[in-house]
Amino acid sequence: MQNNLITKKANHIRDVIRYLQKFKNAVVVIYIDDKTIDSPLFSTHIQDIALLHEAGLKVVLIPGARKRIDEVLRSSNIEWSFRENTRVTRLEAIPLIKMAAFDVSNVVMTLLAAHNITAIIGNWVRARSKGIINGFDFGNAGEIDKLQVSAIIKLLDDGFIPIFPCIGWNSSGHPYNISSSQLAQQVAIALHADKLFFLLENQSISSDSFKIPAEFSLSENNTVPAMDLCEVQEFLDLNKDAESPVLPFLSLAKDACEKGVTRVHLVDASVNGVLPCEIFSDLGSGTMIYTNNYGKIRSMTQVDIPSVLSVMKPFIESGKLLPRSEQDLAEDMNDYIVYELDGGVHACSALKLYDENKGLKQAEIAGVAVDENFGHMGIGPKMMNYLLNKAKAQNVSSVFILTTQAADWFESLGFVPDSIESLPEERKKVWSLKRNSKLYRLNF
């Protein structure tokens, strides 16, 4: 038991080191909603942001200011309304909106200063009036026209954290109120950010709040851990009638990925440590939107063997898999595939071909193991489909597996019981009555 605990800790530390190497000098844009800024965990999130900066990540912050703007306008008896999620006010409101936006940015800057992090609040946003749309005048609401990208990059290279208030200026110096969430998205796109975070208080994409497509995998707390762009659209279509503040962020995330942002993360700010967990672990804690470079199946290499043995170890100890040595894996290396996620190996399986009489061929799927921490992600079925397609391409007549404890799972994939006598002679010779594995087969 003690050895297993040490192994788990070591694997976690390896993950952190791997991600530190991967995201050194990466650009990370973080949107912080106004509810998070007022929450008890806000100072903890700032501490984590400071740690990310000190770890070598280039951090950009965009704090939401809706609540603070509401307070300032209300205290001055200035009315406002919302149309299409855009604040609409009279001209005299804009100085107060600007003051409120900078107030919030100053709060963030002050907390970072407590961690010896230098942040700068700037006017790097060129904006234009939203104008009149379908006869409706949006007043002082603005849209982003241009970002001073070179100035922002210079600040990041010099070790500063830029903070963007939700204000933009036109060429004449007239200020406009702009959307913080859209600003975060546009900054991430302009900087070709490696990651865009939407830090949202008490918001998550879970089966408790949304309809989830049947083929989606869920985490232990019933949230969707990751979606590619096709899955995002499927999710949005299924929940098009839902009223949830998280859905607009999901649409922004999809658009950001389509325009070059590597990954977008929607994370629940009510969870302590959500930011480092999402960045420095394979599983994360929120929902990640990605293009097509997250998890992949590939052939095993010599370098993968220690990781594969680590994945197999609990299955061997429980008797689900036969023991395998490093030499065994090296000899059969061409039979194995692995599932790689951000450079880490978290699953494996093998396909071995057997020549039969009359030109018929059988194939065996063996060594199927998925890291228990990733069992909810549907990796096992993905590997099986991959190997079955590979077997079909080799013109095999059927695929079989031998199992002691996973019969139900293989039956769910379409395998049916068969006689041990149907095994290829080569495989029948090493079948053990003591182990008494059951044979299941899928015919093509």
Side-chain angles (χ1 to χ4, degrees):
M1 177 65 74
Q2 181 66 22
N3 288 342
N4 288 338
L5 289 174
I6 293 174
T7 299
K8 286 184 177 180
K9 289 180 180 178
N11 286 335
H12 175 67
I13 292 169
R14 292 179 185 123
D15 284 343
V16 172
I17 294 172
R18 175 161 51 85
Y19 277 107
L20 280 170
Q21 294 171 336
K22 180 180 180 67
F23 292 120
K24 182 77 172 178
N25 294 318
V27 175
V28 178
V29 177
I30 304 174
Y31 165 85
I32 310 171
D33 75 357
D34 53 340
K35 293 179 181 178
T36 300
I37 293 171
D38 284 340
S39 74
L41 281 178
F42 181 54
S43 59
T44 303
H45 292 311
I46 291 294
Q47 181 182 33
D48 288 339
I49 288 169
L51 290 173
L52 297 181
H53 175 76
E54 291 171 345
L57 283 74
K58 297 179 178 180
V59 179
V60 180
L61 298 179
I62 294 90
R66 175 173 289 195
K67 183 177 180 181
R68 179 58 180 151
I69 293 172
D70 288 350
E71 292 171 352
V72 171
L73 293 182
R74 191 178 294 113
S75 66
S76 299
N77 295 317
I78 294 179
E79 296 181 354
W80 72 91
S81 62
F82 282 95
R83 188 179 181 102
E84 299 175 6
N85 204 33
T86 299
R87 187 188 298 273
V88 181
T89 62
R90 302 191 305 271
L91 181 61
E92 60 267 28
I94 193 65
L96 297 173
I97 292 174
K98 185 171 70 171
M99 178 186 72
F102 275 81
D103 280 351
V104 173
S105 293
N106 272 303
V107 169
V108 175
M109 184 175 67
T110 300
L111 286 175
L112 286 170
H115 295 281
N116 296 316
I117 304 296
T118 302
I120 295 177
I121 303 169
N123 58 344
W124 305 289
V125 183
R126 176 73 61 84
R128 63 180 183 274
S129 171
K130 193 174 181 71
I132 300 171
I133 301 176
N134 295 325
F136 184 84
D137 188 350
F138 279 86
N140 298 300
E143 292 184 338
I144 301 161
D145 190 27
K146 185 179 180 181
L147 296 169
Q148 297 180 25
V149 175
S150 58
I152 302 166
I153 292 175
K154 179 68 164 59
L155 285 171
L156 292 171
D157 289 343
D158 289 342
F160 298 106
I161 292 183
I163 301 175
F164 285 72
C166 56
I167 301 293
W169 288 261
N170 69 7
S171 57
S172 302
H174 180 80
Y176 292 103
N177 183 199
I178 56 180
S179 164
S180 296
S181 56
Q182 291 179 6
L183 176 58
Q185 183 215 41
Q186 291 301 307
V187 169
I189 292 170
L191 295 178
H192 304 290
D194 298 275
K195 287 183 177 289
L196 166 60
F197 280 89
F198 290 116
L199 191 56
L200 311 171
E201 182 73 11
N202 289 314
Q203 296 294 326
S204 62
I205 298 177
S206 72
S207 58
D208 299 329
S209 305
F210 297 100
K211 298 175 184 176
I212 307 296
E215 68 275 15
F216 278 32
S217 300
L218 296 175
S219 65
E220 292 181 354
N221 59 353
N222 294 324
T223 60
V224 179
M227 286 187 269
D228 64 26
L229 297 185
C230 292
E231 290 170 332
V232 172
Q233 190 58 57
E234 182 181 0
F235 179 89
L236 289 172
D237 290 342
L238 186 62
N239 292 277
K240 61 184 178 181
D241 296 325
E243 294 184 3
S244 169
V246 78
L247 291 179
F249 289 97
L250 190 57
S251 295
L252 288 171
K254 178 176 180 289
D255 186 57
C257 283
E258 289 173 341
K259 293 178 178 176
V261 178
T262 306
R263 295 175 191 175
V264 183
H265 304 258
L266 280 66
V267 292
D268 185 354
S270 65
V271 179
N272 191 348
V274 68
L275 284 172
C277 183
E278 190 72 11
I279 291 179
F280 296 124
S281 70
D282 290 321
L283 284 174
S285 55
T287 297
M288 182 180 72
I289 312 304
Y290 63 99
T291 49
N292 58 1
N293 59 344
Y294 180 49
K296 65 179 180 181
I297 294 172
R298 60 170 176 78
S299 298
M300 186 178 76
T301 67
Q302 187 77 34
V303 176
D304 297 323
I305 289 177
S307 297
V308 170
L309 286 172
S310 180
V311 171
M312 285 183 168
K313 183 179 178 182
F315 295 90
I316 294 172
E317 291 176 344
S318 66
K320 294 177 182 178
L321 287 183
L322 286 169
R324 289 166 172 83
S325 67
E326 186 171 342
Q327 182 178 348
D328 292 332
L329 293 181
E331 291 174 353
D332 296 332
M333 188 163 58
N334 292 334
D335 296 336
Y336 277 87
I337 60 170
V338 297
Y339 190 89
E340 178 188 296
L341 196 154
D342 275 342
V345 171
H346 297 288
C348 62
S349 54
L351 180 73
K352 184 174 178 61
L353 299 179
Y354 295 90
D355 289 322
E356 288 288 277
N357 294 330
K358 300 179 182 179
L360 295 177
K361 289 194 294 187
Q362 296 186 46
E364 178 184 10
I365 291 179
V368 180
V370 180
D371 186 330
E372 62 180 4
N373 294 315
F374 297 79
H376 64 278
M377 294 182 65
I379 295 172
K382 289 178 183 176
M383 288 196 305
M384 291 296 292
N385 286 334
Y386 181 93
L387 291 179
L388 290 174
N389 288 330
K390 184 177 180 180
K392 289 178 183 177
Q394 297 292 325
N395 296 317
V396 303
S397 58
S398 65
V399 173
F400 68 87
I401 58 94
L402 289 162
T403 183
T404 58
Q405 300 178 41
D408 291 337
W409 187 71
F410 286 109
E411 283 186 344
S412 72
L413 298 175
F415 286 77
V416 296
D418 201 356
S419 168
I420 295 297
E421 293 303 314
S422 69
L423 284 173
E425 289 300 321
E426 179 185 347
R427 185 66 179 85
K428 194 185 302 182
K429 291 177 182 178
V430 294
W431 180 82
S432 166
L433 181 60
K434 181 178 180 181
R435 182 169 172 80
N436 198 27
S437 300
K438 292 183 178 180
L439 172 66
Y440 285 79
R441 186 179 299 278
L442 184 65
N443 293 301
F444 296 138

